[in-house]
Amino acid sequence: MWPSQLHKKPYVTPQSTIAPFKLTVQASECGQVDCTRSRHLYQISRFPSAESVLRIWKSLKLAHLQRLSNMEVSYGAPPESVQKKFALPVDSEHKATEFRLFSVAAPHMRAFHLSWVSFFACFVSTFAAPPLLPIIRDDLDLTATDIGNAGIAAVSGAAFARVAMGTACDLFGPRLASSALTLITAPAVYCTAIANSPASFILVRFFTGFSLATFVSTQFWMSSLFSSKVVGTANGVAGGWGNLGGGATQLIMPLVFDLIHNIGATKFTAWRIAFFIPALFQTLSAYGIFFLGQDLPDGNYSQLHKSGDKHKDNFSQVFYHAITNYRGWILALTYGYCFGVELTIDNIIAQYFYDRFNVNLHTAGIIAASFGLANLFSRPAGGILSDIMSKRYGMRGRLWALWIFQTLGGIFCIFLGKVGSLGVSIAVMIIFSVFVQAACGLTFGIVPFVSRRSLGIVSGMTGGGGNVGAVLTQVIFFRGSRYSTETGITLMGIMIICCSLVIMSIYFPQWGGMFCGPSSKVTTEEDYYMSEWNSAEKERGIHMASMKFSENSRSERGRRVESAPTPINGTPTTQTLSSALEFVKRKEHAEKITIKPIKEYAHTTSTSICPSKLEIDIASIPKSLIIYTNKFFIAKPKFLAILGD
């Protein structure tokens, strides 16, 4: 019955005639706990509460305490035959600790490839119109204001859709959320072919733009499948290759248009037929995610909810902890002026080169494509750099890298608006694209650490900030004739530099910020992530995913910077342990509770405490004993809670 058929309520079969026994506690990586005594099985639910532990202990104590001379407690993994196997090495959350780009192994790398392909398809659909605008403009009699409004519409809807997508990912999982949105928005792409007025053209671009919210599910999915050591790389490559669609569509759509036109269709008919290609691609990607993807390493949300391996979270609490974390808002602002700028350039750059340098439509498309195609390496490079800086300098290295690259992106954006030569403009544009896109990858190297409980909404807020930045930039600088396009690009660069300054205010008490080290109050990773859970939730054990994440995120301390020290004998979660002890105190009516290191009562064959096997002399422990293991309440099994004197 290991581990799939655990009883929801613990049961005990005491037999007072049985000789002194050994109590063995084994905890699997996925959280099930087995308690065996001789031939009798004691079972408790996943991540047991203090009440569950107490009931089992009381039953054992009443039946056997008088005759009990010693007890052996072992903490170990389940038998090898029941451990889940993965193609990639994993951590305690079953997140992959390696990123193998050319693997398609399920579930980690398969989900990676499905997510970026789907996001790529949505990007192609959303920006399929700009490279064909000179033709569409003549067919629908679009004015400069109409074109500006259509560009704004394409990115404005996704600003709210991304926040909603983050919520959907938290509650229903990235697989269902991504496939549903991709499929729902596909009809808008088909309907572009029948647009017959400026208003209808703006509407279809608006609804098509909602598909860009799949970026949030992509980043959430990667953060759920890859550990902190490689999450920046996974997020950077998935996001970068998805964004690659913005450049690829600059090549694809003119080629498709020319092919259809050469077959015999008129120009005004050819551009309409061309939109069926991205629409079909988007539809197929939605089905691929739904049927081939998997939400988490251990299964889909629906399966895990039914089995009890994943608890349904309280939306109000998830939302509250997301919007009250100022780090999420700062990253949303800065992302508005890296990814938001990228969206703006995707909308204007082809027409900019077409009008300013008098190149033909096909040449303008190739030049514009070079900006988006830089995502092939630039955004992934940002994610990889974020992970490299983390290994060496911790979170502070991630923050410094983001600020430097985003500031340099702003400087080259200013240069792009100033130069008047075609060749120099192309060169500066490519350099600008590398820095601004790398800043996007660097941003989502930080996002997964802002909040474990509210990761989806924080990702949605940040992603939505990118769309809001794109809308504001286009409204202020590229709508109507207030500024020339080259002047608008220059002013946009100044905005990038100014907005990047707020990165300096991001501070993690356990790791520090750009200019300050970690808090002097000895804040640990467990303190930071456990603060999102109240005592009642901790007693139910639904916080354990955050507990595992906090342990795995210690790599953010880096090698070169002084970070929050690990308390002696492990890193116990004081708030969690205290709440559990208070619960036991009320149940036992104890007047006094003390916490002592386990070595005071342990007898081992070595000089150090072995976390896998301990001999505890019950006679030396006053009155009652409650043991909290790694799978119960604290990060390391080296503390005892003593009731009474």
Side-chain angles (χ1 to χ4, degrees):
M1 295 178 64
W2 180 284
S4 61
Q5 298 179 354
L6 291 176
H7 293 267
K8 293 187 177 179
K9 292 185 178 180
Y11 67 90
V12 175
T13 310
Q15 296 183 10
S16 59
T17 60
I18 295 179
F21 62 93
K22 292 180 179 180
L23 173 66
T24 302
V25 180
Q26 289 186 312
S28 72
E29 289 294 345
C30 51
Q32 288 84 3
V33 178
D34 227 15
C35 297
T36 59
R37 181 193 120 347
S38 186
R39 298 180 181 177
H40 300 276
L41 183 66
Y42 300 87
Q43 296 178 318
I44 54 183
S45 61
R46 182 177 187 265
F47 300 140
S49 64
E51 184 177 8
S52 299
V53 179
L54 184 62
R55 284 203 301 268
I56 288 181
W57 173 251
K58 278 186 174 181
S59 299
L60 295 171
K61 181 176 65 174
L62 291 174
H64 308 288
L65 187 58
Q66 297 301 320
R67 305 185 64 182
L68 186 62
S69 60
N70 62 71
M71 179 172 66
E72 181 181 281
V73 181
S74 64
Y75 307 86
E80 186 176 351
S81 60
V82 299
Q83 290 185 0
K84 196 161 187 175
K85 301 294 184 181
F86 297 96
L88 276 63
V90 297
D91 61 13
S92 60
E93 297 178 272
H94 292 168
K95 292 182 178 181
T97 57
E98 292 183 6
F99 181 78
R100 299 176 183 173
L101 181 61
F102 300 106
S103 170
V104 291
H108 303 90
M109 296 311 302
R110 180 186 293 178
F112 161 77
H113 289 293
L114 287 171
S115 64
W116 81 257
V117 168
S118 175
F119 185 40
F120 178 93
C122 293
F123 236 101
V124 169
S125 297
T126 300
F127 293 100
L132 300 181
L133 268 178
I135 308 300
I136 299 173
R137 176 178 58 189
D138 294 340
D139 187 11
L140 302 181
D141 295 326
L142 301 178
T143 65
T145 301
D146 292 331
I147 294 173
N149 287 337
I152 294 169
V155 296
S156 60
F160 304 101
R162 288 190 170 196
V163 178
M165 175 61 84
T167 305
C169 287
D170 279 326
L171 298 179
F172 307 110
R175 180 187 67 96
L176 184 59
S178 179
S179 59
L181 181 63
T182 304
L183 196 59
I184 289 172
T185 53
V189 188
Y190 288 108
C191 288
T192 307
I194 60 174
N196 56 8
S197 67
S200 60
F201 179 70
I202 292 171
L203 280 175
V204 292
R205 289 214 67 193
F206 174 75
F207 288 112
T208 301
F210 275 73
S211 65
L212 292 181
T214 53
F215 167 78
V216 175
S217 59
T218 297
Q219 302 296 283
F220 181 94
W221 210 351
M222 297 304 96
S223 299
S224 301
L225 293 173
F226 292 90
S227 74
S228 58
K229 296 179 181 179
V230 294
V231 68
T233 301
N235 275 336
V237 178
W241 285 12
N243 286 356
L244 193 64
T249 194
Q250 303 282 352
L251 294 175
I252 294 171
M253 294 307 291
L255 289 175
V256 172
F257 168 80
D258 287 340
L259 178 62
I260 297 171
H261 181 50
N262 291 335
I263 290 175
T266 65
K267 290 195 299 182
F268 292 167
T269 300
W271 77 262
R272 297 176 183 274
I273 298 174
F275 272 86
F276 281 87
I277 302 301
L280 179 61
F281 183 22
Q282 181 172 325
T283 303
L284 293 175
S285 70
Y287 285 114
I289 283 185
F290 183 79
F291 289 109
L292 301 176
Q294 181 172 302
D295 289 316
L296 296 172
D298 297 320
N300 292 320
Y301 270 42
S302 57
Q303 299 168 342
L304 297 175
H305 285 153
K306 290 178 181 178
S307 66
D309 290 332
K310 181 175 177 59
H311 296 272
K312 290 185 178 181
D313 211 338
N314 186 319
F315 169 71
S316 61
Q317 288 295 314
V318 174
F319 185 75
Y320 172 78
H321 288 292
I323 64 172
T324 56
N325 194 320
Y326 79 93
R327 301 167 192 85
W329 292 107
I330 290 177
L331 291 172
L333 173 61
T334 60
Y335 198 63
Y337 281 90
C338 55
F339 182 67
V341 167
E342 184 179 349
L343 292 178
T344 301
I345 293 295
D346 283 336
N347 267 324
I348 69 168
I349 198 66
Q351 187 177 355
Y352 169 69
F353 278 97
Y354 181 84
D355 292 337
R356 186 175 186 188
F357 297 105
N358 296 318
V359 297
N360 60 42
L361 180 63
H362 186 66
T363 303
I366 293 175
I367 295 171
S370 64
F371 178 87
L373 290 174
N375 271 299
L376 179 66
F377 61 88
S378 57
R379 183 162 184 153
I384 294 170
L385 177 63
S386 184
D387 288 337
I388 292 173
M389 294 295 288
S390 172
K391 290 177 182 178
R392 193 173 182 88
Y393 302 107
M395 177 56 69
R396 299 177 69 182
R398 292 186 191 266
L399 293 170
W400 270 103
L402 173 58
W403 177 76
I404 291 171
F405 269 68
Q406 189 148 337
T407 300
L408 288 173
I411 292 172
F412 281 102
C413 186
I414 293 173
F415 289 162
L416 178 61
K418 292 293 185 181
V419 296
S421 166
L422 175 61
V424 176
S425 292
I426 294 173
V428 172
M429 182 196 69
I430 293 174
I431 298 172
F432 162 56
S433 70
V434 170
F435 282 103
V436 77
Q437 290 163 9
C440 296
L442 285 158
T443 299
F444 273 85
I446 299 171
V447 167
F449 301 97
V450 172
S451 171
R452 173 60 180 82
R453 185 176 190 180
S454 306
L455 173 61
I457 297 182
V458 171
S459 299
M461 288 166 51
T462 307
N467 289 79
V468 171
V471 171
L472 292 177
T473 301
Q474 291 182 67
V475 168
I476 296 172
F477 301 127
F478 301 105
R479 184 174 181 269
S481 56
R482 182 178 180 183
Y483 298 107
S484 64
T485 304
E486 52 268 31
T487 301
I489 292 174
T490 299
L491 295 175
M492 183 170 64
I494 296 173
M495 287 288 288
I496 295 172
I497 296 173
C498 293
C499 290
S500 67
L501 294 174
V502 297
I503 298 172
M504 299 178 185
S505 64
I506 296 179
Y507 181 80
F508 291 88
Q510 71 275 33
W511 300 316
M514 285 179 62
F515 299 104
C516 302
S519 172
S520 59
K521 296 180 181 179
V522 193
T523 302
T524 65
E525 289 80 1
E526 286 86 354
D527 294 327
Y528 180 80
Y529 292 110
M530 289 304 103
S531 65
E532 297 180 323
W533 303 91
N534 58 42
S535 57
E537 291 169 330
K538 292 171 185 175
E539 287 181 4
R540 292 168 54 199
I542 62 176
H543 67 296
M544 295 307 295
S546 293
M547 177 71 84
K548 287 184 179 181
F549 181 79
S550 64
E551 186 172 353
N552 293 327
S553 66
R554 290 177 198 155
S555 59
E556 293 307 303
R557 299 177 182 183
R559 298 176 184 174
R560 297 294 184 90
V561 279
E562 181 182 358
S563 190
T566 300
I568 191 170
N569 292 326
T571 55
T573 306
T574 304
Q575 293 178 341
T576 305
L577 183 58
S578 298
S579 63
L581 294 180
E582 284 299 320
F583 179 86
V584 175
K585 183 176 180 180
R586 293 195 303 269
K587 294 291 185 181
E588 289 279 9
H589 305 291
E591 296 180 356
K592 181 181 179 182
I593 295 181
T594 59
I595 303 174
K596 296 183 179 181
I598 205 168
K599 66 173 67 177
E600 293 186 20
Y601 303 104
H603 305 284
T604 63
T605 57
S606 61
T607 56
S608 62
I609 296 298
C610 174
S612 62
K613 191 172 185 179
L614 295 172
E615 293 284 348
I616 302 175
D617 184 4
I618 297 298
S620 67
I621 301 178
K623 295 184 179 179
S624 304
L625 169 66
I626 300 293
I627 298 176
Y628 293 89
T629 75
N630 183 36
K631 300 300 179 180
F632 294 175
F633 298 104
I634 62 176
K636 300 271 182 166
K638 295 184 179 179
F639 281 84
L640 296 179
I642 310 302
L643 305 182
D645 298 329

